[in-house]
Amino acid sequence: MRRLQTQFFVSYAIFGCIGPLLPVYLMEVKGFTETELGYNQALTSIATVLSPILITLLADMKIDPRRILGASFLISALAFYLISISAGVIPSLIFYTLHSLAFMPTVALQDGYYFSLAKRSDDVRATRYHRIRVWGTIGFIVPSVVLYFLLEPDPNLISKVVLYFLLDRDPPLTMVLWCAIAFGVLSALHAQLLPKLPTNLDGEGAGFEVKRRLPSAEAFAALLSPKGRYFLICMGLAYAASTAYHTFFPVYLRSMVGVEASVIGLIINVGVFLEIFYILALGRLRKRFGMRAIMIAGLSAMVVRLALLATFPSVFTAVATQLLHGLEICAVFVLPVMYLNQLASDRFRNSIQGVYTMVVIGGSRIVSGVIGGRIAEVDLRLLFACGAGLAAIAVILLALFFRPEDDYGDAQAERTV
């Protein structure tokens, strides 16, 4: 299990490099406007629609997922390098789309890999998903701490040496990309050390039978079933709101609140640090309250956070609302992965993660990127208010229509999660 925990750590560190500061880098170094930043999100989300279903299908067809992960992380690292040497908005849009084509499927593929391995390994099954996923949260934090020292206006001696040899005269914010490149290469190498999935599968759907439907088709059917359709709608709305927040919150901190670029990651990671404890407690919370109650609470936290940011813009609000971050992450990014695994069989355990990424994450991010960028250029506060409205609708729909069968009491769900 340590290999899988390390893989989540190094791969989610890539998010930690680009999440807090890439929007600021694109605006201050590459000259993006808010609308162009939204278009960038939309273009990369098109890549999210196209690639995850193909790559997770390859995994379900017994192509070694370790090789797929390695190639994806290397292409992603190459894309970051090309962005760092490119000039202007259009080349940056093209190369960041390349990054998304390669990188976004790795999240779904790693999730599917865990659940596939858990079905066949007592050691892996004993460590539930949230205790693996928490290492991704820890990995997210590390780059922001490193980048804080590298981006300080008066860096220490070590930072000066690094900046001199790696960046020469490039803008200091380019360190965001170099950090992502380093973790991308490390993720590609470490993926090759993961245990190999057994080729002889036990139980339902063992092997790949040509006469049956493709795994992706079965995954679509499961998601559109009565157990999945309302869940898809709710999460589509939640992801649209989440995309608006994660894309423009760094811009909000920089332009509206006026914090230094080096501090943005630290503010964001107040919430990410607390997220560790939410995720570690998720098993007990789910056992006591059930999946549905936690998801409603998490999306309600999103409503409150976005509404406060829209109404009371300040550093205090930005930091205080990070207290709600962990509960929101559990509802939007962790519990849905577990619920998808309940809808899946062995034949499409990878593919259902890819199809969900394509339909819900990719689709909602395209809409949110195009429309959200235009709203942000008018008023960032209005954008967050609209996000709060979408999240509120998702809360209502979850309360009315979402009825997960297990709520942690089902024995089968306990074994798979």
Side-chain angles (χ1 to χ4, degrees):
M1 286 315 300
R2 292 192 181 277
R3 290 290 185 193
L4 200 51
Q5 290 168 335
T6 303
Q7 184 64 30
F8 270 71
F9 177 90
V10 294
S11 62
Y12 273 78
I14 301 173
F15 282 116
C17 297
I18 63 176
L21 285 171
L22 187 68
V24 176
Y25 169 83
L26 291 176
M27 293 188 72
E28 296 190 4
V29 178
K30 299 298 182 181
F32 278 54
T33 64
E34 286 86 350
T35 297
E36 289 167 341
L37 195 60
Y39 287 154
N40 179 70
Q41 188 64 63
L43 282 173
T44 58
S45 299
I46 292 174
T48 303
V49 168
L50 294 176
S51 58
I53 187 171
L54 173 61
I55 290 182
T56 50
L57 172 62
L58 293 175
D60 276 327
M61 294 176 69
K62 311 304 172 277
I63 296 176
D64 193 339
R66 300 175 300 174
R67 306 293 181 259
I68 302 172
L69 284 170
S72 297
F73 285 125
L74 287 178
I75 294 171
S76 175
L78 174 63
F80 283 130
Y81 172 72
L82 293 173
I83 292 173
S84 72
I85 63 174
S86 67
V89 171
I90 299 301
S92 297
L93 285 172
I94 293 172
F95 295 137
Y96 193 69
T97 301
L98 174 63
H99 151 74
S100 296
L101 276 166
F103 179 69
M104 291 310 297
T106 63
V107 177
L109 188 55
Q110 287 183 165
D111 289 337
Y113 176 88
Y114 163 78
F115 287 115
S116 295
L117 198 61
K119 291 288 288 186
R120 300 163 187 93
S121 169
D122 292 336
D123 177 54
V124 177
R125 190 183 301 117
T127 306
R128 295 189 178 124
Y129 173 77
H130 62 277
R131 293 192 175 275
I132 299 294
R133 173 59 176 78
V134 72
W135 285 93
T137 299
I138 297 170
F140 185 99
I141 294 173
V142 172
S144 290
V145 176
V146 174
L147 288 168
Y148 169 76
F149 291 102
L150 295 179
L151 297 177
E152 271 290 273
D154 184 22
N156 57 34
L157 178 60
I158 296 177
S159 300
K160 288 180 179 179
V161 172
V162 172
L163 289 172
Y164 178 80
F165 283 104
L166 290 184
L167 299 181
D168 196 12
R169 298 179 182 178
D170 286 350
L173 277 172
T174 308
M175 277 305 301
V176 173
L177 298 182
W178 282 105
C179 189
I181 290 169
F183 278 108
V185 173
L186 187 58
S187 298
L189 295 175
H190 188 269
Q192 310 316 303
L193 302 177
L194 294 173
K196 185 177 181 180
L197 290 176
T199 54
N200 54 328
L201 309 183
D202 298 324
E204 178 188 357
F208 179 76
E209 303 173 24
V210 177
K211 64 181 180 180
R212 297 183 62 182
R213 289 189 297 173
L214 286 173
S216 299
E218 294 186 67
F220 266 118
L223 288 172
L224 295 178
S225 69
K227 295 180 180 179
R229 63 181 66 139
Y230 292 113
F231 170 75
L232 288 186
I233 295 171
C234 293
M235 297 316 300
L237 293 170
Y239 260 100
S242 178
T243 297
Y245 168 80
H246 288 288
T247 302
F248 290 100
F249 185 59
V251 179
Y252 173 94
L253 290 174
R254 188 81 169 112
S255 62
M256 181 164 287
V257 180
V259 303
E260 293 291 336
S262 59
V263 181
I264 290 175
L266 298 184
I267 291 176
I268 291 174
N269 276 304
V270 171
V272 179
F273 176 74
L274 296 175
E275 177 189 326
I276 295 173
F277 302 99
Y278 278 101
I279 294 179
L280 288 176
L282 187 57
R284 293 189 296 274
L285 291 173
R286 191 175 162 206
K287 187 175 183 179
R288 180 170 182 178
F289 299 106
M291 178 183 291
R292 177 172 172 268
I294 299 173
M295 291 189 68
I296 290 173
L299 294 188
S300 298
M302 180 189 291
V303 174
V304 172
R305 171 154 71 165
L306 290 171
L308 288 174
L309 290 171
T311 308
F312 307 105
S314 67
V315 174
F316 175 79
T317 304
V319 175
T321 53
Q322 295 301 312
L323 297 174
L324 303 171
H325 177 80
L327 189 57
E328 176 187 324
I329 292 298
C330 288
V332 180
F333 294 98
V334 182
L335 285 174
V337 173
M338 297 179 178
Y339 184 66
L340 290 173
N341 186 59
Q342 296 172 26
L343 298 178
S345 74
D346 283 346
R347 276 187 44 77
F348 56 92
R349 205 164 298 282
N350 285 293
S351 284
I352 199 169
Q353 302 289 342
V355 170
Y356 175 80
T357 300
M358 180 188 73
V359 174
V360 174
I361 302 178
S364 62
R365 288 176 65 177
I366 290 172
V367 175
S368 181
V370 172
I371 299 176
R374 291 183 174 274
I375 297 175
E377 193 150 354
V378 175
D379 190 344
L380 282 170
R381 296 169 65 181
L382 177 60
L383 174 66
F384 289 157
C386 292
L390 292 177
I393 296 172
V395 170
I396 294 171
L397 292 177
L398 275 179
L400 292 176
F401 300 112
F402 184 53
R403 295 291 185 273
E405 292 182 357
D406 72 311
D407 266 11
Y408 209 86
D410 182 83
Q412 177 64 25
E414 179 111 12
R415 285 195 298 271
T416 58
V417 179

